[in-house]
Amino acid sequence: ADFTTIRAVGRVTLKPTGSGQAVVFDAGATVTLGWGVRMLGDFVIDGNAGTTDGLFVRAIHHSEFQARVRSAANGLLVNFSVCTEYAIRVTVNEDGWGTQRPTTGVILAKRAVGEGVADCQFDLVVEGVSGDGVTLHNLVGDSRFRGTSEGNGGVGLVLDGGANCQVNTFENFDVEANTGGDIVLNADNTIFSNLVATSLVHLV
């Protein structure tokens, strides 16, 4: 629902028992949009072998999400989001974590043509997933990224925005020690500031 706040008092663990997406904020596949949704505090989304996405957000704007995710194929999947803040940790390097490594840490993608991710802020920690750390598809523009993508089994950071990707900024973002290489860049007008990367896979 619009203008809804869910707040953790202390650490709150959300543990799904079925398969599919664990925690979903979804305003729909067409015109309907969600506004002012906030998930704040120390939320741990602890999936299982059948969990596809730990946190799924679609068509939610002017909102804020804070969570740590483990044991899900994808830690965070966002389809269409504007002016929203995400503070997300997907890591196996914390107490008791690593029973099932996520395949991908964070995926940003479009809902439909012209409906991607824009004007958002991301504070990400992605460490030790079995595949790519952070994968960005059709990132419309003007979003800012901070954090790390380290020690993952695939590529640390994949930017595949093509002509839709405009002036996104990575500031104080560490991309290191990823088995598949650190950065694959296929996006226009990307700004890097204080970036740490040990290798570039390719620039297109």
Side-chain angles (χ1 to χ4, degrees):
D2 291 348
F3 305 105
T4 297
T5 297
I6 303 170
R7 190 179 302 274
V9 178
R11 177 173 294 178
V12 175
T13 299
L14 306 174
K15 191 169 182 64
T17 57
S19 60
Q21 295 165 327
V23 177
V24 176
F25 294 89
D26 188 1
T30 55
V31 177
T32 302
L33 304 176
W35 298 79
V37 178
R38 299 193 301 169
M39 180 180 186
L40 304 178
D42 190 5
F43 282 100
V44 176
I45 301 171
D46 187 5
N48 57 58
T51 302
T52 55
D53 305 308
L55 175 61
F56 174 69
V57 178
R58 179 166 64 174
I60 303 292
H61 306 326
H62 298 276
S63 299
E64 185 176 358
F65 297 94
Q66 299 172 353
R68 294 189 287 162
V69 184
R70 65 177 181 181
S71 299
N74 305 311
L76 168 69
L77 173 59
V78 180
N79 290 153
F80 190 22
S81 186
V82 176
C83 297
T84 294
E85 298 181 15
Y86 295 86
I88 305 296
R89 298 175 66 90
V90 185
T91 176
V92 298
N93 298 326
E94 295 187 10
D95 293 342
W97 291 50
T99 55
Q100 177 192 334
R101 291 203 297 172
T103 303
T104 304
V106 174
I107 300 175
L108 306 185
K110 64 182 180 180
R111 182 178 75 166
V113 175
E115 296 181 339
V117 174
D119 299 295
C120 291
Q121 295 187 44
F122 294 88
D123 191 344
L124 305 176
V125 175
V126 180
E127 297 177 346
V129 305
S130 62
D132 294 339
V134 178
T135 301
L136 312 178
H137 296 292
N138 294 285
L139 189 63
V140 177
D142 295 318
S143 290
R144 302 183 70 88
F145 295 82
R146 297 181 303 171
T148 63
S149 181
E150 299 181 4
N152 301 302
V155 179
L157 174 63
V158 180
L159 290 92
D160 184 17
N164 292 325
C165 195
Q166 301 294 323
V167 197
N168 295 287
T169 301
F170 291 80
E171 183 176 9
N172 297 320
F173 199 86
D174 292 348
V175 192
E176 300 180 89
N178 296 284
T179 302
D182 286 337
I183 299 177
V184 171
L185 178 60
N186 179 17
D188 298 331
N189 300 321
T190 301
I191 300 170
F192 294 106
S193 175
N194 298 321
L195 176 76
V196 175
T198 53
S199 67
L200 296 177
V201 179
H202 61 257
L203 303 176
V204 179

